[in-house]
Amino acid sequence: MIFFLSVYSLILSLAEAAILPQKNFFARKSQQCCCLLFRYVLVTIICFSLTQILCIAQSDNSLVELPSGTPIVLSDINLPGFGGNQPTVFDSIPSYRPIMNDIPVPNLGPGGGQMPTSGVGGAAGDFSVRAQQVRLMRADIFDSDTSGTSSMISNGTVPGGSNTLATGLDISWGSFQWLHFPESNQTKWIFEQGINVVISGLQSQELMSGDTIDITADRAVAWTVCMQDRIKNIGGQINIADLDMELYIEGNIVFREGGSVTYADRMYYDVKNAVGTIRGVEILMPVAEYDGTIRLKAESAQRTGPGTFSVQNGLLTTSTMGEPSFYLRSRNIQFEQKRIPVYNSLTGQPLIDPATNRQYEDTRNYVVAEHNVINMGLPVFYWPWLAFDAKEPVMYLKRAEYYHDSIFGHQARTRWNLYQILNIRNRPDGTALDLNIDYLSKRGVGHGVQFTYNRGSFLGAPTPTVGLADFWGICDRGHDNLGLDRRDLEPETDYRYRGFWQHKQFFNNKPFGSLLGNGWLLSAELGVSSDRNFLPQYFGREWETFKDETTALELKRTGGDEFWQWSGAQSLAFRADYTIENFYDRRSSLPRLDHYTLGYSPFGKYFGDRFTWYEHTHIGLRGFETLTSPQDPADAAMFRYLDWEVAPGSTLDPNDPFQQVDSLKAMREVFSTRHEIDMPFNLGPVKCVPYLAGEYAHWGIDRNDDMVDRLMGTVGVRANLPFWKVNPTYSSSTLYVNGVAHKVNVGFDLSHTEVNKGYGNLIPYDSIDDRSIEDFRRRYSVTTFHGAIPLLYDERYYAIRSGLSNWITSPSTELADDLTLCRFHFNQTWQTKRGPTNRRRIIDWITLDTGLNLYPKKEQNFGESVGLIDYNFRWHVGDRFAVLSSGLFDTFNSGQTIVRLGGMLQRPDRGNIYLGADRLDGPFQRTYLNGSVAYNLSEKWAANYSTSYDLNEGRFMGQNIALFRKGEVFVVKIGANYDWSRNVWGLSFGIEPTFLSKLRGGQSFRAL
């Protein structure tokens, strides 16, 4: 039985390793070994306890002491010679005489049945016992804390720690008999006509699918020695590793644990030597991360020693058919578990666990598989030899995809496990090293390496660390297509690449936590690429939606009262950053120090929170250098510098033959300190917060090569009034409401700000837009304005009109100007109850958030008193249908107007539909109709379609259609898409076997 559990757990691990996503698998596997050893030891001790109790019954008539609190219940017993006076219950007692004492000798006579031939101590002759059930109601089990020490049963605590459990054991059988051989002190136990063992109340573990184990078989035989002498000595211990016991089970063996079921034909196990064999094993196992059941069959499985297993002719599939149409088969699988001492990678000294004063050990599970074949009706893949860590969900190949379009041509993209290729066995735990090999028929062969890590230590230091390093490059022989007017661009370099690294390290443990204090976070980032168009072309989705890839180092700490012994939140950050590429604006901080205080009451002892202080101070050596212009003539024709990127009066066109661009380059000191004092009070139900704010800022140089000192002052008041009304009796089947609660929050922020220096001549050390947005703005000035972008659409003044300078946590120090502003907000929510009468739930039926800016000085808003009106509306008409709308408006002539209106219908497990329209007005006018449909046609077929149509031009801007078929063998995807801006049609075809893990983190090429 012990071996059965061992091999079951091995096969469970292999099945998990074949299908589970890597993200979840690493998190679970760190506890696997402890959990599996717990299960082995638990079942071993319980079964051995029962064997010893029965062994006492066939011994002599002396008084035998058992561990206190071990109740035994014998029911429906049929003992020879007792007649109608059969014992039914033996209560829990610390000691008793064996139940076989004074049993009369049965007189079988001719034809009375076959009896064992060897004598039984305590009885006048041989006998057999038949019982329907023997129940061990409670067992005190102690598990050793080290793998090298055997588990024991004792009435005391095992040295090194103990684990006490309340576990029930039920054993039922058809017939039972034993043979005892006094000359060798050996006993043979025979269970026939069926046996059932149920172990319940097991302590829940992450890798266990239930708290009960159920084992049934037709027949079982056990050979053992009687351990009566050891049990007689109160306080004695039984060492399982030294026990001479052999088990044999055969016939319809079924092992159940939670939703997992294992079948086998025969099983043999030698307890003392820890070896055994299972023949004809099959496992059906549901996995939470996978939609289906994993099925694994093996001709035989063997345990050849502690922590060493082998499986012959193993077959893995998700098919439940008798003859699976697809599977992964391995002729021989070897599994070996090793414990590797851990050393400090910096000093080479052993790492010691302070709790046990022992060296840390890392458990590794190695698997070697021979002659591996993937069969899908026919063999489709063969690999002669695989060696990998069982914690990894895949073998060698981690990803394979195919695409085709007119930009990259035929694309075959693959990702490989570099640890396995290089046969690196002692790899750092919690890390992955991958090799990317991609073939693009029109561009070349792409190649790269990706390293990810998530560990509890870094270079031997006990600090939790997570990070990602990625490099990908290609010798590009094609041209770039980046959209309208830039469809054929010559790359600025032949070898193109992207290098990227992000690292986070938390200092919360000793010794760093004691030295620096808890709460420190070290962040490091490296970003470098070969040319300005590489990321937009090859990593378009990341370029448009992800954070800019920069090079920076930051050490930051946040905290509350324990930080500086102040109330309120505190933050201190040391930062250094530098832009490597010259085709981006080079902004740098070498270094920069930032400190924040939020919500500190300096006079709280006397006035409470009547005065609250907010502060942001930073000082540093800041640098800026203007980017270079494109080299390709077509790209340069669409390029203009932004006004703040060059010296005042300089041309914005790099191709102007009459005037050269006067670029900026500076590295000077910058200092600013901004403070705000709030004085909150309640005016009836209205919460009022008058406030005063001020800032002093210094720049060592500006765009005119002058030193700048700026003072800024702000005075204002904020007010907020929440109110609500509830009508619990209103009900409407048409509107689908049962009672209505209307909740409203009204407020305003009135402020007046003055500065003694404007922002126009300041160097923009702080960026307010991503690089992709700045790149678009440089083309925007050409395509829309044919020159400089007017102040109406300048992003810097737009941020000022929005009230950015009123924030203590403003991301930009430079952006501040004279401004009188009153910002109103009006937030409303209508709630109701929906659902069955006895299970009503509260939902947000309708939400409407609105806001507007009021400018008392019209000239600050281009002659209009009202501006930047916005709203966000959502109406859940029913449980499946919702109406959505949002908008943003400026009121001056040619101001922005953005309106979105749409509806979404969702049917769980069936699909969803969205149809909406977007209206854009301002320097250009466009109306787009957008729609998407995702629908499950049947249990096997699904389809989706999305499109965007320009109503002004009467053309489709983009379309995407895909058809999926989910079969027993694999999921097939066929798709097509169109991009009008690039004038590109694309096709995609993919096959994903359903029994392979769904990998993430693939190469993020833009889907065309």
Coordinates of all heavy atoms in Angstrom, one line a residue, residues 926-995:
R926 N -14.3 62.4 -37.3 CA -14.4 61.1 -37.6 C -15.5 60.4 -36.8 O -15.7 60.8 -35.7 CB -13.1 60.3 -37.4 CG -12.0 60.5 -38.4 CD -12.4 59.9 -39.8 NE -11.2 60.1 -40.7 CZ -11.0 61.1 -41.5 NH1 -11.8 62.2 -41.4 NH2 -10.0 61.2 -42.3
T927 N -16.2 59.5 -37.5 CA -17.2 58.7 -36.8 C -16.9 57.2 -37.1 O -16.9 56.9 -38.3 CB -18.7 59.0 -37.2 OG1 -18.9 60.4 -36.9 CG2 -19.7 58.2 -36.4
Y928 N -16.7 56.4 -36.1 CA -16.4 55.0 -36.3 C -17.5 54.1 -35.8 O -18.0 54.4 -34.7 CB -15.1 54.6 -35.7 CG -13.9 55.4 -36.2 CD1 -13.3 56.5 -35.6 CD2 -13.3 55.0 -37.4 CE1 -12.2 57.1 -36.1 CE2 -12.2 55.6 -37.9 CZ -11.6 56.7 -37.2 OH -10.6 57.4 -37.8
L929 N -17.8 53.1 -36.5 CA -18.7 52.1 -36.0 C -17.9 50.8 -35.7 O -17.2 50.3 -36.5 CB -19.8 51.7 -37.1 CG -20.9 50.7 -36.7 CD1 -21.7 51.3 -35.6 CD2 -21.7 50.4 -37.9
N930 N -18.0 50.4 -34.4 CA -17.2 49.3 -33.9 C -18.1 48.1 -33.5 O -19.2 48.4 -32.9 CB -16.3 49.7 -32.7 CG -15.4 50.8 -33.1 OD1 -14.7 50.8 -34.1 ND2 -15.4 51.9 -32.2
G931 N -17.7 46.9 -33.8 CA -18.6 45.8 -33.4 C -17.7 44.6 -33.2 O -16.6 44.4 -33.8
S932 N -18.2 43.7 -32.3 CA -17.5 42.4 -32.1 C -18.5 41.4 -31.6 O -19.5 41.7 -31.0 CB -16.4 42.6 -31.0 OG -17.0 42.9 -29.7
V933 N -18.3 40.2 -32.1 CA -19.1 39.0 -31.8 C -18.3 37.8 -31.4 O -17.3 37.5 -32.1 CB -20.0 38.7 -32.9 CG1 -20.9 37.5 -32.6 CG2 -20.9 39.8 -33.3
A934 N -18.6 37.2 -30.3 CA -17.9 36.0 -29.9 C -19.1 35.0 -29.6 O -19.9 35.3 -28.7 CB -17.0 36.1 -28.7
Y935 N -19.1 33.8 -30.3 CA -20.2 33.0 -30.1 C -19.8 31.5 -30.2 O -19.0 31.1 -31.0 CB -21.2 33.2 -31.3 CG -22.6 32.6 -31.1 CD1 -23.5 33.1 -30.1 CD2 -23.0 31.5 -31.8 CE1 -24.7 32.6 -29.9 CE2 -24.3 31.0 -31.6 CZ -25.1 31.5 -30.6 OH -26.3 30.9 -30.4
N936 N -20.3 30.7 -29.3 CA -20.1 29.3 -29.2 C -21.2 28.6 -30.1 O -22.3 28.5 -29.6 CB -20.1 28.7 -27.8 CG -19.0 29.3 -27.0 OD1 -17.9 29.5 -27.5 ND2 -19.3 29.6 -25.7
L937 N -20.8 28.2 -31.3 CA -21.8 27.6 -32.2 C -22.3 26.2 -31.7 O -23.5 25.9 -31.8 CB -21.2 27.4 -33.5 CG -20.6 28.7 -34.2 CD1 -19.8 28.3 -35.5 CD2 -21.7 29.7 -34.5
S938 N -21.4 25.5 -31.0 CA -21.8 24.2 -30.4 C -20.7 23.9 -29.4 O -19.9 24.7 -29.0 CB -21.9 23.1 -31.5 OG -20.6 22.9 -32.0
E939 N -20.8 22.7 -28.8 CA -19.8 22.3 -27.9 C -18.4 22.2 -28.5 O -17.4 22.3 -27.8 CB -20.1 20.9 -27.2 CG -21.4 21.0 -26.4 CD -21.7 19.7 -25.7 OE1 -20.9 18.7 -26.0 OE2 -22.6 19.6 -24.9
K940 N -18.3 22.1 -29.8 CA -17.0 21.9 -30.5 C -16.6 23.1 -31.3 O -15.4 23.3 -31.5 CB -17.1 20.7 -31.4 CG -17.1 19.3 -30.7 CD -17.0 18.2 -31.6 CE -17.0 16.8 -30.9 NZ -16.9 15.7 -31.8
W941 N -17.6 23.9 -31.8 CA -17.3 25.0 -32.7 C -17.5 26.4 -32.0 O -18.5 26.5 -31.3 CB -18.1 24.9 -33.9 CG -17.7 23.7 -34.8 CD1 -18.3 22.5 -34.8 CD2 -16.7 23.7 -35.8 NE1 -17.7 21.7 -35.7 CE2 -16.7 22.4 -36.4 CE3 -15.9 24.7 -36.3 CZ2 -15.8 22.1 -37.4 CZ3 -15.0 24.4 -37.4 CH2 -15.0 23.1 -37.9
A942 N -16.7 27.3 -32.3 CA -16.8 28.7 -31.8 C -16.3 29.6 -32.9 O -15.4 29.2 -33.7 CB -16.1 28.9 -30.5
A943 N -16.8 30.9 -32.9 CA -16.3 31.8 -33.8 C -16.3 33.2 -33.2 O -17.1 33.5 -32.2 CB -17.2 31.8 -35.1
N944 N -15.4 34.1 -33.7 CA -15.5 35.5 -33.3 C -15.1 36.4 -34.4 O -14.4 36.0 -35.4 CB -14.6 35.8 -32.1 CG -13.1 35.5 -32.3 OD1 -12.6 35.9 -33.4 ND2 -12.5 34.8 -31.4
Y945 N -15.7 37.6 -34.4 CA -15.5 38.6 -35.5 C -15.5 40.0 -34.8 O -16.3 40.3 -34.0 CB -16.6 38.5 -36.5 CG -16.6 39.5 -37.5 CD1 -15.7 39.5 -38.6 CD2 -17.5 40.6 -37.5 CE1 -15.6 40.5 -39.6 CE2 -17.4 41.6 -38.5 CZ -16.5 41.5 -39.5 OH -16.5 42.5 -40.4
S946 N -14.6 40.8 -35.3 CA -14.5 42.2 -34.9 C -14.2 43.1 -36.0 O -13.5 42.6 -37.0 CB -13.5 42.4 -33.7 OG -12.2 42.0 -34.2
T947 N -14.7 44.3 -36.0 CA -14.5 45.2 -37.1 C -14.6 46.6 -36.7 O -15.2 46.9 -35.6 CB -15.5 45.0 -38.2 OG1 -15.3 45.8 -39.4 CG2 -16.9 45.3 -37.7
S948 N -14.0 47.5 -37.5 CA -14.1 49.0 -37.2 C -14.3 49.6 -38.6 O -13.5 49.4 -39.5 CB -12.8 49.5 -36.6 OG -12.9 50.9 -36.4
Y949 N -15.4 50.4 -38.7 CA -15.8 51.0 -40.0 C -15.8 52.5 -39.9 O -16.4 53.1 -39.0 CB -17.2 50.5 -40.4 CG -17.6 50.9 -41.8 CD1 -17.1 50.3 -42.9 CD2 -18.5 51.9 -41.9 CE1 -17.5 50.7 -44.2 CE2 -18.9 52.4 -43.2 CZ -18.4 51.7 -44.3 OH -18.8 52.1 -45.6
D950 N -15.2 53.2 -40.8 CA -15.1 54.7 -40.9 C -16.3 55.2 -41.7 O -16.4 55.0 -42.9 CB -13.8 55.1 -41.5 CG -13.6 56.6 -41.4 OD1 -14.6 57.4 -41.2 OD2 -12.5 57.1 -41.6
L951 N -17.3 55.8 -41.0 CA -18.5 56.2 -41.7 C -18.2 57.5 -42.5 O -18.9 57.7 -43.6 CB -19.6 56.6 -40.6 CG -20.2 55.4 -39.9 CD1 -21.2 55.9 -38.8 CD2 -20.8 54.4 -40.8
N952 N -17.2 58.3 -42.2 CA -16.9 59.5 -43.0 C -16.3 59.1 -44.3 O -16.6 59.7 -45.4 CB -16.0 60.4 -42.2 CG -16.6 61.0 -41.0 OD1 -16.6 60.4 -39.9 ND2 -17.2 62.2 -41.1
E953 N -15.4 58.1 -44.3 CA -14.7 57.7 -45.5 C -15.3 56.6 -46.2 O -15.0 56.3 -47.3 CB -13.2 57.4 -45.2 CG -12.4 58.5 -44.6 CD -12.2 59.6 -45.6 OE1 -12.2 59.3 -46.8 OE2 -11.9 60.8 -45.2
G954 N -16.2 55.9 -45.5 CA -16.9 54.7 -46.1 C -16.0 53.6 -46.4 O -16.1 53.0 -47.4
R955 N -15.2 53.2 -45.4 CA -14.3 52.1 -45.5 C -14.0 51.4 -44.2 O -14.2 52.0 -43.1 CB -12.9 52.5 -46.1 CG -12.2 53.5 -45.2 CD -11.0 54.1 -45.9 NE -10.3 55.1 -45.1 CZ -9.6 56.1 -45.6 NH1 -9.5 56.2 -46.9 NH2 -9.0 57.0 -44.8
F956 N -13.6 50.1 -44.3 CA -13.3 49.4 -43.1 C -11.9 49.7 -42.7 O -10.9 49.7 -43.5 CB -13.4 47.9 -43.4 CG -14.8 47.4 -43.4 CD1 -15.5 47.2 -44.7 CD2 -15.5 47.1 -42.3 CE1 -16.8 46.7 -44.7 CE2 -16.8 46.6 -42.3 CZ -17.4 46.4 -43.5
M957 N -11.7 50.0 -41.5 CA -10.3 50.3 -40.9 C -9.6 49.0 -40.5 O -8.4 49.0 -40.6 CB -10.4 51.2 -39.8 CG -11.1 52.5 -40.1 SD -10.3 53.5 -41.4 CE -8.7 53.8 -40.6
G958 N -10.3 48.0 -40.1 CA -9.7 46.8 -39.7 C -10.8 45.7 -39.5 O -11.9 46.0 -39.0
Q959 N -10.4 44.5 -39.7 CA -11.3 43.4 -39.5 C -10.5 42.2 -39.0 O -9.4 42.0 -39.4 CB -12.1 43.0 -40.8 CG -13.0 44.1 -41.4 CD -13.8 43.6 -42.5 OE1 -14.8 42.9 -42.4 NE2 -13.3 44.0 -43.7
N960 N -11.2 41.3 -38.2 CA -10.6 40.1 -37.7 C -11.6 39.1 -37.6 O -12.7 39.3 -36.9 CB -9.9 40.4 -36.4 CG -8.9 39.3 -36.0 OD1 -9.3 38.1 -36.2 ND2 -7.8 39.7 -35.4
I961 N -11.4 37.9 -38.1 CA -12.4 36.8 -38.0 C -11.6 35.5 -37.7 O -10.5 35.3 -38.2 CB -13.2 36.6 -39.3 CG1 -14.3 35.6 -39.1 CG2 -12.3 36.3 -40.5 CD1 -15.3 35.5 -40.3
A962 N -12.1 34.7 -36.9 CA -11.5 33.5 -36.5 C -12.5 32.4 -36.2 O -13.6 32.7 -35.7 CB -10.6 33.7 -35.3
L963 N -12.2 31.2 -36.6 CA -13.1 30.0 -36.4 C -12.3 29.0 -35.6 O -11.1 28.7 -35.9 CB -13.5 29.4 -37.7 CG -14.5 28.3 -37.6 CD1 -15.8 28.8 -37.0 CD2 -14.7 27.7 -39.0
F964 N -12.9 28.5 -34.5 CA -12.2 27.5 -33.6 C -13.0 26.2 -33.6 O -14.3 26.2 -33.7 CB -12.2 28.0 -32.2 CG -11.5 29.3 -32.0 CD1 -12.1 30.5 -32.2 CD2 -10.1 29.4 -31.7 CE1 -11.5 31.7 -32.0 CE2 -9.5 30.6 -31.5 CZ -10.2 31.8 -31.7
R965 N -12.3 25.1 -33.6 CA -12.9 23.8 -33.4 C -12.1 23.1 -32.2 O -10.9 22.9 -32.3 CB -12.8 22.9 -34.6 CG -13.6 21.6 -34.4 CD -13.4 20.6 -35.6 NE -14.2 19.5 -35.4 CZ -13.9 18.4 -34.7 NH1 -12.8 18.4 -34.0 NH2 -14.8 17.4 -34.6
K966 N -12.9 22.7 -31.2 CA -12.3 22.0 -30.1 C -12.7 20.6 -30.2 O -13.8 20.2 -30.0 CB -12.8 22.6 -28.8 CG -12.2 21.9 -27.5 CD -12.7 22.5 -26.3 CE -12.1 21.8 -25.0 NZ -12.6 22.4 -23.8
G967 N -11.7 19.8 -30.5 CA -11.9 18.3 -30.6 C -11.2 17.6 -29.5 O -10.6 18.2 -28.6
E968 N -11.4 16.3 -29.5 CA -10.7 15.5 -28.5 C -9.2 15.5 -28.7 O -8.5 15.4 -27.7 CB -11.2 14.0 -28.5 CG -10.7 13.2 -27.4 CD -11.1 11.7 -27.5 OE1 -11.2 11.3 -28.7 OE2 -11.3 11.1 -26.5
V969 N -8.8 15.6 -29.9 CA -7.3 15.6 -30.2 C -6.7 16.9 -30.0 O -5.7 17.0 -29.2 CB -7.1 15.0 -31.6 CG1 -5.6 15.0 -31.9 CG2 -7.7 13.7 -31.8
F970 N -7.2 18.0 -30.5 CA -6.6 19.3 -30.4 C -7.6 20.4 -30.8 O -8.7 20.1 -31.2 CB -5.4 19.4 -31.3 CG -5.5 18.7 -32.7 CD1 -6.4 19.2 -33.6 CD2 -4.8 17.6 -33.0 CE1 -6.6 18.6 -34.8 CE2 -4.9 17.0 -34.2 CZ -5.8 17.5 -35.1
V971 N -7.2 21.6 -30.5 CA -8.0 22.8 -30.9 C -7.4 23.4 -32.1 O -6.2 23.6 -32.2 CB -8.0 23.8 -29.7 CG1 -8.7 25.1 -30.2 CG2 -8.7 23.3 -28.5
V972 N -8.2 23.6 -33.1 CA -7.8 24.1 -34.4 C -8.3 25.5 -34.6 O -9.5 25.8 -34.3 CB -8.2 23.3 -35.6 CG1 -7.8 23.9 -36.9 CG2 -7.7 21.8 -35.4
K973 N -7.5 26.5 -34.9 CA -7.9 27.9 -35.2 C -7.5 28.3 -36.6 O -6.3 28.1 -37.0 CB -7.2 28.8 -34.2 CG -7.5 30.3 -34.4 CD -6.7 31.2 -33.5 CE -6.9 32.6 -33.9 NZ -6.1 33.6 -33.0
I974 N -8.4 28.8 -37.3 CA -8.2 29.4 -38.6 C -8.7 30.8 -38.6 O -9.8 31.1 -38.2 CB -8.9 28.6 -39.7 CG1 -8.5 27.1 -39.7 CG2 -8.7 29.2 -41.1 CD1 -9.2 26.3 -40.7
G975 N -7.8 31.8 -39.0 CA -8.2 33.2 -38.9 C -7.7 34.0 -40.0 O -6.8 33.6 -40.7
A976 N -8.3 35.2 -40.2 CA -7.9 36.1 -41.2 C -8.1 37.5 -40.6 O -9.0 37.8 -39.8 CB -8.6 35.9 -42.5
N977 N -7.2 38.5 -41.0 CA -7.4 39.8 -40.5 C -6.9 40.8 -41.6 O -6.2 40.5 -42.5 CB -6.6 40.1 -39.2 CG -5.2 39.5 -39.3 OD1 -4.4 40.0 -40.0 ND2 -4.9 38.5 -38.5
Y978 N -7.4 42.1 -41.4 CA -7.1 43.1 -42.4 C -6.8 44.4 -41.6 O -7.5 44.8 -40.7 CB -8.2 43.3 -43.4 CG -8.1 44.5 -44.2 CD1 -7.1 44.6 -45.2 CD2 -8.9 45.7 -44.0 CE1 -7.0 45.7 -46.0 CE2 -8.8 46.8 -44.8 CZ -7.8 46.8 -45.8 OH -7.7 47.9 -46.6
D979 N -5.7 45.1 -42.0 CA -5.3 46.4 -41.5 C -5.2 47.4 -42.6 O -4.3 47.3 -43.4 CB -4.0 46.3 -40.7 CG -3.6 47.5 -40.0 OD1 -4.1 48.6 -40.3 OD2 -2.8 47.5 -39.0
W980 N -6.2 48.4 -42.6 CA -6.2 49.3 -43.8 C -5.0 50.2 -43.7 O -4.4 50.6 -44.7 CB -7.5 50.2 -43.7 CG -7.4 51.3 -44.7 CD1 -7.8 51.2 -46.0 CD2 -7.1 52.6 -44.4 NE1 -7.6 52.5 -46.6 CE2 -7.2 53.4 -45.6 CE3 -6.6 53.3 -43.3 CZ2 -6.9 54.7 -45.7 CZ3 -6.3 54.7 -43.4 CH2 -6.5 55.3 -44.6
S981 N -4.6 50.7 -42.5 CA -3.5 51.6 -42.4 C -2.2 51.0 -43.0 O -1.4 51.7 -43.7 CB -3.2 52.0 -40.9 OG -2.1 52.9 -40.8
R982 N -1.9 49.8 -42.7 CA -0.8 49.1 -43.3 C -1.0 48.5 -44.7 O -0.1 48.0 -45.3 CB -0.3 48.0 -42.3 CG 0.4 48.6 -41.1 CD 0.8 47.4 -40.2 NE 1.7 47.9 -39.1 CZ 1.3 48.4 -38.0 NH1 0.0 48.5 -37.7 NH2 2.2 48.8 -37.0
N983 N -2.3 48.4 -45.1 CA -2.7 47.7 -46.3 C -2.2 46.3 -46.3 O -1.5 45.8 -47.2 CB -2.1 48.5 -47.5 CG -2.8 48.0 -48.8 OD1 -3.9 47.5 -48.8 ND2 -2.0 48.1 -49.9
V984 N -2.5 45.6 -45.2 CA -2.0 44.2 -45.0 C -3.2 43.3 -44.7 O -4.0 43.5 -43.9 CB -1.0 44.2 -43.8 CG1 -0.7 42.8 -43.4 CG2 0.2 45.0 -44.2
W985 N -3.1 42.1 -45.4 CA -4.0 41.0 -45.1 C -3.1 40.0 -44.4 O -2.0 39.8 -44.8 CB -4.6 40.4 -46.4 CG -5.8 41.2 -46.9 CD1 -5.7 42.1 -47.8 CD2 -7.1 41.0 -46.5 NE1 -7.0 42.6 -48.1 CE2 -7.9 41.9 -47.3 CE3 -7.8 40.2 -45.6 CZ2 -9.3 42.1 -47.2 CZ3 -9.2 40.3 -45.5 CH2 -9.9 41.3 -46.2
G986 N -3.7 39.3 -43.4 CA -2.9 38.3 -42.7 C -3.8 37.0 -42.5 O -5.0 37.1 -42.4
L987 N -3.1 35.9 -42.5 CA -3.7 34.6 -42.2 C -3.0 33.9 -41.1 O -1.8 34.1 -40.9 CB -3.7 33.7 -43.5 CG -4.4 34.2 -44.7 CD1 -4.1 33.2 -45.9 CD2 -5.9 34.3 -44.5
S988 N -3.8 33.2 -40.3 CA -3.2 32.5 -39.2 C -3.8 31.1 -39.1 O -5.0 30.9 -39.4 CB -3.4 33.2 -37.9 OG -4.8 33.3 -37.6
F989 N -3.0 30.1 -38.8 CA -3.4 28.7 -38.6 C -2.7 28.2 -37.4 O -1.5 28.3 -37.3 CB -3.2 27.9 -39.8 CG -3.5 26.5 -39.7 CD1 -4.8 26.1 -39.8 CD2 -2.6 25.5 -39.5 CE1 -5.2 24.7 -39.7 CE2 -2.9 24.2 -39.3 CZ -4.2 23.8 -39.4
G990 N -3.5 27.6 -36.5 CA -2.8 27.1 -35.3 C -3.5 25.8 -34.8 O -4.7 25.6 -35.0
I991 N -2.6 24.9 -34.3 CA -3.1 23.7 -33.7 C -2.5 23.6 -32.3 O -1.3 23.7 -32.1 CB -2.7 22.5 -34.5 CG1 -3.3 22.5 -35.9 CG2 -3.0 21.2 -33.8 CD1 -2.9 21.4 -36.8
E992 N -3.4 23.4 -31.3 CA -2.9 23.3 -29.9 C -3.4 21.9 -29.4 O -4.7 21.8 -29.2 CB -3.4 24.4 -29.1 CG -3.0 24.3 -27.6 CD -3.6 25.4 -26.8 OE1 -4.2 26.2 -27.3 OE2 -3.3 25.3 -25.5
P993 N -2.6 21.0 -29.2 CA -3.0 19.7 -28.5 C -3.7 20.0 -27.2 O -3.2 20.7 -26.4 CB -1.7 18.9 -28.4 CG -0.8 19.5 -29.4 CD -1.2 20.9 -29.5
T994 N -4.8 19.3 -26.9 CA -5.5 19.6 -25.7 C -4.9 19.0 -24.5 O -5.2 19.4 -23.4 CB -7.0 19.1 -25.8 OG1 -6.9 17.6 -26.1 CG2 -7.8 19.7 -26.9
F995 N -3.9 18.1 -24.7 CA -3.3 17.5 -23.5 C -2.0 18.2 -23.2 O -1.3 17.8 -22.2 CB -3.0 16.0 -23.7 CG -2.2 15.7 -24.9 CD1 -0.8 15.7 -24.8 CD2 -2.7 15.4 -26.1 CE1 0.0 15.4 -25.9 CE2 -1.9 15.1 -27.2 CZ -0.6 15.1 -27.1

